[in-house]
Amino acid sequence: MSLNQFASRSLLLICIAFLIQSCSTEKKQTGTLLIHGGPIYTMDSLNPKVEAVVTLDNKILFSGSLEDAEKLKGPETQEINLEGKTMTPGLIEGHGHFMGLGYNELNLDLINTKSFQEIIDAVADAVQKAKPGEWITGRGWHQSKWDQLPENSVLGFPTHEALSAISPDNPVYLRHASGHAGFANAKAMELAGLQVMGTENMDALSVEGGEVIVDDLGLPTGVFNERAMTLITKHIPENTPEKDIQAFELAVAACHRNGITGFHDAGIGRETIALYNNMKAEGKMGIRMYAMLTGWDKELLNEWYEKGPNVDPEHLFTIRSIKLNCDGALGSRGAWLLESYSDRQDHFGHETLPMEFVKETSLNGLEHGFQVCSHAIGDRANREILDRYEAAFMEKPQMVNDNRFRIEHAQHLHPDDIPRFAELGVIPAMQAVHLSSDRPWAIDRLGEKRIKEGAYMWQALLKSGIPVVNGTDVPVEPLNPIASFYASVTRKTLEGSPEGGYEPDQKMTRQQALRSYTLDAAYGAFEEGIKGSITEGKLADFTIYDQDLMTVPEDTLLDTQVAMTIFNGQVVYAKNMN
């Protein structure tokens, strides 16, 4: 052997020895948390159902067989045995109002009232506890869900006399469940400068984009529709910072109880932005917040156009979208329709925001990198918004690149407009539970033909090739994802009727429904790369249920309860954990 050969061989042996020593001393990577013992649905098409998941801090390290997961277990690894329970990716509320959720727990919650008398009783109880002159506020009433209307009613709405009688000295303002109407007593109207006993200054009742419901004498009944609500609301004292923090913390806790780890907040202003930034700085942002700037504040929008979107590297508080409120709700007959309401001829609802502003905002969104999310319930509102989006895309084609503009609700569509969502790449963010609540009386508003051809068209939209984002629109509906999941797959009321469901051809499959609450909801916020499925490298957010919502019989599906919520790799809620 030559000297050079000997040297080369010696060098090779030294390198091999060094590698062996390095491998033997290298610390084996171990996980923070090992979860196993029940069905785990990942929403990852390459690995749809697994035995075990391992996390490392706030990320998913492994998803697969229990045998392989055990290899990543170390002395410090915590273990959760599901004991037959089911796990999915953390659920995402695709359209809600976060502070409204919190304040609904602080103020009068009327969501479950079944009669006008129940509302009167709730207010009477609040009057006994209130200070003299203190405002009493609440939300959740819906006249179409009552057992019967009160004797005094106008256009299907109650009148203020009974409310005024039980609270003569305390102003009362109760928001409709939809948030698109409000009910005030005489004291509240008096403080707002509105005459309830005479016809002086009746011009004050005329509001563009809204309506004050009046009686046969032209006097206000106490019901204020759409933008007319501001006649009262501008006189209600602002919330205190202390109360805002309390409402925020209550909303976080409510999300955790319901398995919600992500939240699309549909329209916030500068005060709420400041609150969320403070909560994040203090380590209290216990939810992944995807917030939409309110379109009501043009100055705020212009400020954000200047600085551009804020995509949070910690994935806790992102702002990259704008919310526009373009019509009202079906319940208050504020949804903007192509043809008049079946139960109120010559009334077409309300255009609550000029369509010129939708076009202007769409152009600004394209130019400055903001997603535009427009509230539209009626078929005309949906068509008009699609038209404005399309016009903006055509005007700035060089800036059309996976913009993911959305229509929030998309509840009632003209059949001709259904394929336009996929053609334009516009995402429908639809709250399935609205069907369970609204469908029994919505047919009175729209008639059978319009209901069957264009209302709650989930499957038609999915088949067209566009994802659907699900949610509850809390506090319009309770923040219960199981109820919305049930509505998605059954198209029944929460009482289980009718047999077979309303327009059953539009049902989602259970896979589609779960995807609409996880991966597709993440897609609606440009976040499918970091959450929405249980995939290695994504964030460790999970929801655990006490039964398998993908296989249990339909008649027991609503019995499903959230057993545990894991957020950012930490258990933040466990049922009966005390």
Side-chain angles (χ1 to χ4, degrees):
M1 180 182 296
S2 68
L3 185 62
N4 287 338
Q5 288 175 320
F6 179 79
S8 298
R9 185 175 180 184
S10 298
L11 181 62
L12 177 62
L13 290 172
I14 291 169
C15 290
I16 292 172
F18 178 77
L19 288 172
I20 292 172
Q21 182 179 7
S22 297
C23 291
S24 64
T25 58
E26 183 180 344
K27 186 178 180 181
K28 185 182 78 169
Q29 188 177 43
T30 59
T32 309
L33 182 64
L34 167 62
I35 309 169
H36 65 91
I40 300 175
Y41 297 98
T42 67
M43 300 312 298
D44 183 335
S45 59
L46 299 178
N47 202 20
K49 190 176 179 182
V50 299
E51 293 180 320
V53 171
V54 181
T55 69
L56 178 59
D57 299 325
N58 71 336
K59 298 285 182 66
I60 298 168
L61 178 63
F62 172 80
S63 173
S65 71
L66 179 59
E67 181 181 355
D68 288 337
E70 293 277 5
K71 298 173 185 176
L72 299 170
K73 184 179 176 182
E76 303 298 320
T77 305
Q78 293 183 313
E79 193 169 347
I80 294 178
N81 189 332
L82 296 174
E83 297 179 340
K85 299 181 183 69
T86 299
M87 188 169 89
T88 71
L91 299 178
I92 301 167
E93 170 57 56
H95 178 109
H97 305 276
F98 194 74
M99 294 304 290
L101 165 62
Y103 268 102
N104 227 40
E105 300 206 7
L106 289 175
N107 299 330
L108 283 180
D109 184 359
L110 307 172
I111 196 75
N112 294 314
T113 52
K114 300 295 184 184
S115 70
F116 184 51
Q117 187 58 50
E118 285 184 40
I119 291 169
I120 297 300
D121 293 343
V123 172
D125 185 57
V127 169
Q128 297 299 316
K129 302 172 185 175
K131 299 173 184 176
E134 182 181 2
W135 278 82
I136 295 170
T137 58
R139 179 170 177 164
W141 65 274
H142 198 308
Q143 77 287 357
S144 295
K145 299 178 183 179
W146 293 341
D147 298 332
Q148 61 182 23
L149 279 172
E151 186 175 338
N152 294 327
S153 60
V154 175
L155 297 176
F157 292 104
T159 58
H160 72 85
E161 289 81 9
L163 190 63
S164 300
I166 55 101
S167 185
D169 301 316
N170 289 86
V172 178
Y173 183 73
L174 310 173
R175 281 185 176 271
H176 192 268
S178 66
H180 289 267
F183 188 34
N185 71 343
K187 188 65 176 180
M189 290 187 278
E190 175 191 325
L191 293 176
L194 303 178
Q195 300 292 328
V196 296
M197 297 301 292
T199 56
E200 305 88 29
N201 301 322
M202 285 299 105
D203 287 345
L205 302 182
S206 178
V207 178
E208 185 177 357
E211 178 185 22
V212 179
I213 305 296
V214 297
D215 61 19
D216 292 341
L217 298 176
L219 300 175
T221 62
V223 175
F224 296 78
N225 212 343
E226 303 302 340
R227 299 192 72 172
M229 292 187 291
T230 60
L231 294 173
I232 301 295
T233 57
K234 64 185 179 183
H235 297 280
I236 300 175
E238 293 185 3
N239 297 316
T240 64
E242 294 77 17
K243 201 170 182 182
D244 281 343
I245 293 171
Q246 187 181 1
F248 178 90
E249 292 175 344
L250 286 170
V252 170
C255 285
H256 292 167
R257 288 196 307 273
N258 285 279
I260 303 294
T261 59
F263 199 103
H264 297 185
D265 200 348
I268 65 171
R270 61 181 74 248
E271 294 83 3
T272 305
I273 293 171
L275 172 67
Y276 290 177
N277 278 325
N278 289 339
M279 293 298 96
K280 184 190 170 190
E282 294 177 15
K284 295 181 179 179
M285 184 58 80
I287 194 84
R288 302 200 190 281
M289 186 69 69
Y290 183 78
M292 308 172 195
L293 299 168
T294 177
W296 295 123
D297 189 339
K298 295 183 182 180
E299 185 179 334
L300 178 70
L301 296 186
N302 289 330
E303 290 173 13
W304 278 86
Y305 293 151
E306 285 292 318
K307 59 186 177 183
N310 178 30
V311 179
D312 184 4
E314 296 180 65
H315 313 300
L316 292 174
F317 180 29
T318 287
I319 295 178
R320 67 176 298 176
S321 60
I322 298 163
K323 167 72 180 304
L324 301 177
N325 293 78
C326 300
D327 76 339
L330 272 178
S332 57
R333 297 185 187 85
W336 194 20
L337 304 183
L338 290 166
E339 300 177 16
S340 66
Y341 279 81
S342 297
D343 57 358
R344 188 179 173 188
Q345 291 300 310
D346 300 320
H347 181 72
F348 296 84
H350 301 285
E351 176 190 6
T352 57
L353 193 72
M355 288 298 108
E356 295 80 6
F357 188 64
V358 176
K359 169 78 176 299
E360 176 188 328
T361 306
S362 299
L363 291 170
N364 280 320
L366 292 175
E367 184 173 347
H368 299 287
F370 284 92
Q371 177 190 48
V372 180
C373 308
S374 298
H375 165 115
I377 289 182
D379 54 357
R380 181 166 183 186
N382 278 279
R383 173 171 291 181
E384 296 276 357
I385 291 165
L386 288 170
D387 288 348
R388 298 319 184 279
Y389 285 175
E390 185 173 17
F393 296 162
M394 292 178 68
E395 193 166 322
K396 292 184 180 288
Q398 72 280 8
M399 294 179 177
V400 178
N401 180 26
D402 194 29
N403 305 96
R404 305 190 195 181
F405 281 18
R406 293 170 37 163
I407 289 185
E408 308 301 304
H409 310 306
Q411 196 166 334
H412 171 225
L413 308 173
H414 189 282
D416 293 346
D417 292 320
I418 293 172
R420 298 181 67 195
F421 283 81
E423 290 165 5
L424 296 172
V426 174
I427 301 169
M430 308 173 76
Q431 300 72 54
V433 72
H434 283 332
L435 175 133
S436 289
S437 296
D438 298 359
R439 176 57 180 82
W441 54 261
I443 194 167
D444 298 331
R445 303 285 193 272
L446 299 175
E448 185 175 8
K449 184 176 188 295
R450 285 188 287 185
I451 281 279
K452 289 187 173 181
E453 291 182 352
Y456 318 101
M457 302 301 287
W458 312 325
Q459 196 58 244
L461 286 161
L462 287 167
K463 285 180 178 177
S464 76
I466 198 74
V468 170
V469 174
N470 215 327
T472 63
D473 199 11
V474 64
V476 177
E477 304 278 359
L479 183 72
N480 182 359
I482 305 302
S484 212
F485 184 91
Y486 174 84
S488 301
V489 301
T490 69
R491 292 181 71 92
K492 294 180 179 181
T493 68
L494 300 185
E495 289 72 37
S497 63
E499 186 69 30
Y502 292 107
E503 293 75 54
D505 60 312
Q506 293 301 317
K507 292 178 183 177
M508 294 187 199
T509 66
R510 297 198 189 195
Q511 180 79 2
Q512 288 170 334
L514 181 58
R515 187 180 173 106
S516 71
Y517 249 104
T518 53
L519 194 57
D520 284 349
Y523 176 86
F526 302 89
E527 294 177 332
E528 72 277 10
I530 59 168
K531 65 183 186 182
S533 67
I534 301 176
T535 303
E536 292 173 17
K538 287 191 177 185
L539 294 162
D541 299 341
F542 313 116
T543 305
I544 297 170
Y545 317 82
D546 65 351
Q547 61 177 359
D548 190 341
L549 75 171
M550 302 298 281
T551 62
V552 296
E554 184 179 293
D555 59 359
T556 60
L557 181 54
L558 272 177
D559 297 333
T560 307
Q561 295 186 36
V562 172
M564 184 178 291
T565 303
I566 297 173
F567 172 74
N568 225 28
Q570 301 289 325
V571 176
V572 293
Y573 169 76
K575 190 172 179 61
N576 298 326
M577 62 187 298
N578 292 334

